[in-house]
């Protein structure tokens, strides 16, 4: 997955008003679509001898008795725990190769009779090229269901899956969800090894982790490190088009690791490796396995995921942002609130537009839950239901206004 850095420099303002994309260029944070998925049963993810019980309670003389991280080394005596994990789970990690045919379009001018008089049969013809890519994935069901990143198979004409034992299968894409960057694939095979599933909600910074994948075409590569942070928002890493709270790790992740598993010391998959920040070292990001499970279940069942959608762009209101807006917008935008989430664009005919939300409104609460950051708005909308009215409170010109917005399904992505 590509990550981008937005231009933070102010842009020239049209004196006739504030341009729609001014805010995104000024602040580098803009959320157009707000996505979510509902919880579904996780039975399709097969489980194998997974140790999912809570750790034993530590003695009362130890600090923070309520927080018990898992042991880094098995019984504090096994320095080769990585070897054991790799031997245990390696056969369930696969390589995924994809290809798609790109056809270049002939400019319309060459179809004009005037040009044909001169070029005749020499008129340029559409040209085709094949784009190839590779990534990783892991088996979630012994009957051949596999998960990977959406960007690994996006638009692919052909997908092939190679197992660790060398067998290769044609893969069928069951569904893709670009909003969370999760995809599912099916191969015609049975009795395959699968991964045990951990609980990504219980992770803590400092835990040891292992990544397995096929970076840069180097199959079955193993790297290890720790969890550096949890709950990194999509805007934190410059991927504002995604709707994921990422796990950050310093385990080496490179192109080709996408879609591979991030594992804990017990060999349970706790996340799917997905992104790096270009030019950075020791910064890798993975999608929590709890999110992967929920999305994969819907893709397997229906081939798609419906995400609640409001149709707004917004920015967290801080004293610095408020001052910059005041200096640039002058009296064209009257912002009296000191905190909250400022709406800077409303998509025409969107649920937000229909509900009466306006540019300059500051969201104070959603469904009676106070909000001060765009990430909080995203999570509340993600947990809402399509078609069910969502109470929203905004501050407008110093007055509190109560509105009801009915989220719609996120419009399908159109290929550019």
């Amino acid at each position: 997955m590509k990550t981008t850095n937005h231009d933070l420099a102010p842009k020239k303002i049209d004196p006739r008003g504030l341009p729609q994309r001014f805010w995104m260029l000024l602040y580098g944070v803009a959320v157009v679509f707000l996505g979510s998925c509902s919880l579904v049963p996780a039975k399709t993810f097969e489980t194998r001898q997974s140790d999912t019980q809570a750790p034993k309670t530590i003695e009362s003389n130890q600090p923070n008795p309520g927080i018990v991280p898992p042991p880094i080394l098995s019984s504090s005596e096994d320095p080769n725990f990585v070897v054991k994990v790799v031997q245990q789970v390696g056969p369930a990690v696969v390589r995924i190769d994809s290809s798609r045919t790109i056809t270049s379009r002939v400019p319309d001018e060459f179809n004009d009779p005037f040009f044909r008089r001169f070029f005749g049969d020499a008129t340029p013809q559409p040209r085709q090229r094949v784009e190839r890519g590779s990534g990783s994935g892991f088996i979630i069901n012994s009957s051949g269901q596999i998960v990977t990143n959406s960007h690994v198979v996006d638009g692919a004409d052909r997908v092939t899956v190679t197992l660790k034992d060398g067998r290769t299968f044609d893969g069928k894409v069951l569904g893709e969800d670009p909003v969370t960057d999760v995809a599912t694939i099916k191969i015609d095979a049975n009795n395959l090894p699968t991964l045990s599933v951990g609980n990504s909600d219980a992770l803590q910074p400092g835990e040891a982790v292992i990544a397995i994948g096929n970076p840069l075409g180097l199959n079955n590569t193993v790297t290890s490190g720790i969890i550096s942070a949890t709950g990194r928002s999509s805007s934190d890493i410059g991927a504002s088009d995604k709707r994921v709270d990422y796990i950050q790790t310093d385990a080496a992740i490179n192109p080709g690791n996408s879609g591979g598993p991030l594992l804990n010391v017990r060999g349970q998959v706790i996340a799917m490796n997905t992104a790096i920040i270009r030019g950075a070292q020791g910064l890798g990001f993975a999608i929590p396995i709890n999110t992967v499970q929920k999305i994969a279940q819907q893709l397997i069942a229906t081939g798609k995921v419906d995400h609640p959608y409001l149709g707004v762009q917004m920015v967290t209101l801080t004293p610095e942002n408020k001052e910059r807006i005041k200096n640039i917008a002058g009296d064209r935008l009257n912002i009296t609130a000191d905190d909250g989430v400022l709406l800077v664009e409303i998509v025409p005919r969107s649920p937000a537009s229909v509900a009466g939300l306006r540019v300059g409104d500051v969201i104070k609460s959603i469904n009676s839950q106070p909000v001060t950051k765009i990430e909080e708005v995203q999570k509340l909308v993600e947990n809402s239901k399509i078609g069910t009215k969502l109470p929203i409170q905004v501050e407008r010109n110093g007055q509190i206004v109560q509105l009801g917005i009915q989220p719609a399904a996120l419009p399908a992505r159109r290929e550019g």
Side-chain angles (χ1 to χ4, degrees), residues 22 43 51 60 62 65 98-99 128 150 156-158 171 211 216 226 229 271 275 279 300 321 351 361 363 375 391 415:
F22 158 68
K43 293 182 180 178
D51 178 12
S60 59
Q62 295 183 3
S98 62
S99 62
Q128 291 185 337
S150 175
D157 302 318
R158 185 183 181 191
L216 305 173
I226 62 170
I300 291 169
N321 284 348
D361 285 349
I363 300 177
E375 291 84 4
E415 297 294 337

Side-chain angles (χ1 to χ4, degrees), residues 83 90 116 123 141 153 157 169 212 326 369 384 393 410 412:
V83 174
R116 284 192 172 277
T123 301
N141 185 284
V153 297
D157 302 318
F169 299 86
I212 304 179
K326 181 179 178 181
Q369 299 287 323
S384 68
Q393 182 186 84
L410 174 67

Side-chain angles (χ1 to χ4, degrees), residues 67-136:
I67 301 177
V68 187
I72 297 297
L73 304 181
S74 218
S75 302
S76 299
E77 296 176 355
D78 185 2
N80 293 318
F81 73 96
V82 174
V83 174
K84 291 186 177 180
V85 168
V86 173
Q87 290 174 344
Q88 174 187 342
V89 307
V93 182
V94 303
R95 171 174 175 149
I96 299 173
D97 293 285
S98 62
S99 62
R100 64 174 180 172
T101 302
I102 306 297
T103 302
S104 61
R105 189 175 64 88
V106 176
D108 293 337
E109 289 79 3
F110 285 98
N111 293 320
D112 189 292
F114 175 79
F115 282 94
R116 284 192 172 277
R117 290 174 53 192
F118 296 95
F119 292 99
D121 294 335
T123 301
Q125 299 299 312
R127 294 185 178 181
Q128 291 185 337
R129 72 179 190 278
V130 177
E131 290 185 347
R132 292 182 172 85
S134 66
S136 307

Side-chain angles (χ1 to χ4, degrees), residues 69 74 95 111 177 184 195 215 243 295 298 319 333 395 403:
S74 218
R95 171 174 175 149
N111 293 320
D177 181 44
T184 55
L195 292 185
R243 297 295 168 259
I295 299 300
Q298 295 181 64
L333 198 59
E395 184 172 326
L403 298 170

Side-chain angles (χ1 to χ4, degrees), residues 70-73 79 81-83 85-86 203-212 221-229 247-253 257 261-266 268 270 273 281-286:
I72 297 297
L73 304 181
F81 73 96
V82 174
V83 174
V85 168
V86 173
L203 300 177
Q204 300 175 57
E207 291 185 34
V209 290
I210 303 159
I212 304 179
T221 294
V222 179
T223 59
S224 65
I226 62 170
I227 293 176
S228 303
I247 296 167
Q248 181 181 326
T249 178
D250 68 350
I253 296 176
N257 273 117
L262 189 69
L263 306 141
N264 62 19
V265 296
R266 295 184 292 279
Q268 299 170 327
I270 50 145
N273 300 317
Q281 294 183 357
L283 291 176
F285 299 93

